[in-house]
Amino acid sequence: MEKLEVKKVIIPVAGLGTRFLPFTRILPKAIMPVVDEPMIASSVREAKESGINDITIVISENMRLVLDYFKPKTKLENTLEKRGCFEALEKLKQVDKEFEGVNLSYALQPIPKGDGDAVLRAKLKIGKDAFGVLFHDDLFYSKTPAISQLIKFFQTAQKPIIGLKKLDGSKISKYGCVAVEKVANRLYKIKKIVEKPKQGEAPSDLAICGRYILTNEVFQYLTKAKLNKKGELILAQALQEMIDDGKVIYGCEIEGDWLECGQTADWLKSSLFLTLQHKEYGPVIKDWLKKAKLF
């Protein structure tokens, strides 16, 4: 049997972004700034740095501007050149160069109906291939891109793999987490997925952190899965049904810092963290914080 390779990813961004109101009254969460670029840029970069150039972004009807960031800005470039704004022009061209070769397409999710529905909307883009799923509001600061870490294990396992991070027991109840059987260093066989367990009832300290490698078999389960009480189709539920049917699903503990951007406070902290790591802005902000004596 020919080995599956991961050459495609799905990035769902079609959620309502209610936690970021009032900003999301007019603009989608995916283009909220993280340091000096929109949030979505980090996910696309992670895919490209992992050797994946075929990227499907799942958007709602009014979110097409999410894709605009990655399109050439010829008119603006000409204007900047005529005005002699060469520093700004160079920054603009750097974006084009960085994302050159990326085959960016979109799938529509007319109504936000859960992450499982978002993945299912991209089914035709994936076909029979294995694929990654990156949630754009989960960022990682790591030597090796998070999705690349999962791909490395997938090349051997050839089974779906979920990205995991260890969390303190006081936090785990806010996340989906897993009961596991350890297979090797950082690698687990997932026995059960528990969504937001009650305090003290989590099966482990391993939380699901917004990165997946899946096979196209998941689409069969998403197609027949039932909606939850909120009318949403949940990816974790489909994966649990696969486990219940005897399918093997692994979990990989991702190395690096998990920087969440799903809520305003988390986004602010993550953006500040990345700002302090930035070669240009980091030293400036660190110096300002020392002199300001704000605390």
Side-chain angles (χ1 to χ4, degrees):
M1 187 181 223
E2 187 177 351
K3 291 187 72 173
L4 295 170
E5 294 187 19
V6 182
K7 297 295 183 183
K8 299 176 180 179
V9 300
I10 299 170
I11 305 176
V13 307
L16 294 173
T18 53
R19 292 171 178 170
F20 287 89
L21 288 167
F23 182 91
T24 46
R25 283 183 57 159
I26 56 170
L27 294 172
K29 181 176 69 174
I31 61 172
M32 291 186 69
V34 176
V35 191
D36 59 351
E37 65 180 9
M39 197 186 298
I40 186 66
S42 179
S43 297
V44 175
R45 180 183 298 109
E46 182 182 328
K48 189 173 190 294
E49 290 180 349
S50 301
I52 302 173
N53 290 316
D54 195 336
I55 300 170
T56 301
I57 300 180
V58 182
I59 60 173
S60 63
E61 187 62 46
N62 63 343
M63 287 185 179
R64 295 175 191 268
L65 57 84
V66 171
L67 306 172
D68 288 346
Y69 179 76
F70 304 96
K71 296 178 181 178
K73 301 293 182 287
T74 305
K75 186 176 180 180
L76 179 55
E77 287 181 5
N78 291 338
T79 300
L80 292 174
E81 188 168 9
K82 288 177 182 178
R83 295 184 179 183
C85 302
F86 298 115
E87 185 177 346
L89 178 62
E90 181 58 28
K91 286 186 177 181
L92 201 62
K93 288 185 175 181
Q94 282 176 1
V95 176
D96 294 335
K97 184 177 181 180
E98 181 176 16
F99 296 107
E100 185 178 7
V102 171
N103 175 27
L104 204 63
S105 62
Y106 69 91
L108 283 177
Q109 186 183 26
I111 302 172
K113 289 173 62 179
D115 55 2
D117 181 71
V119 171
L120 187 57
R121 295 284 171 175
K123 178 182 177 181
L124 294 179
K125 303 283 186 178
I126 300 300
K128 296 181 179 181
D129 298 318
F131 62 99
V133 178
L134 291 79
F135 286 93
H136 74 288
D137 53 5
D138 289 302
L139 310 184
F140 287 87
Y141 183 75
S142 56
K143 291 181 179 179
T144 303
I147 201 69
S148 184
Q149 295 179 43
L150 300 192
I151 290 172
K152 181 181 178 181
F153 282 108
F154 180 81
Q155 289 171 341
T156 300
Q158 294 287 288
K159 301 292 183 182
I161 301 180
I162 301 174
L164 305 172
K165 285 293 287 184
K166 286 186 177 180
L167 282 183
D168 182 87
S170 63
K171 298 179 180 179
I172 197 75
S173 62
K174 298 179 181 178
Y175 301 83
C177 63
V178 290
V180 297
E181 174 188 330
K182 190 165 185 177
V183 176
N185 184 37
R186 296 172 47 222
L187 185 66
Y188 306 84
K189 181 180 178 181
I190 294 179
K191 299 165 68 176
K192 188 176 182 180
I193 300 172
V194 180
E195 187 66 21
K196 297 181 180 180
K198 293 180 180 179
Q199 195 73 36
E201 296 184 5
S204 75
D205 60 354
L206 292 165
I208 297 171
C209 58
R211 294 294 183 274
Y212 302 80
I213 300 295
L214 302 173
T215 58
N216 73 331
E217 186 177 24
V218 75
F219 293 124
Q220 301 173 27
Y221 284 84
L222 287 170
T223 300
K224 66 182 182 181
K226 295 180 180 179
L227 302 180
N228 67 9
K229 293 178 180 179
K230 295 181 180 180
E232 296 174 327
L233 183 61
I234 303 301
L235 178 59
Q237 180 58 41
L239 295 176
Q240 181 60 55
E241 290 177 9
M242 291 176 69
I243 293 169
D244 292 342
D245 283 350
K247 309 293 182 182
V248 175
I249 296 179
Y250 291 105
C252 171
E253 193 176 344
I254 294 174
E255 294 182 327
D257 293 304
W258 178 18
L259 305 175
E260 299 174 83
C261 293
Q263 299 187 53
T264 303
D266 292 331
W267 163 70
L268 289 168
K269 288 186 284 187
S270 296
S271 190
L272 177 58
F273 174 87
L274 291 172
T275 299
L276 294 175
Q277 314 310 313
H278 196 279
K279 290 181 180 180
E280 180 181 352
Y281 307 127
V284 176
I285 299 303
K286 286 177 184 178
D287 184 60
W288 177 78
L289 287 171
K290 288 178 182 178
K291 291 178 179 179
K293 296 181 180 178
L294 298 175
F295 307 104

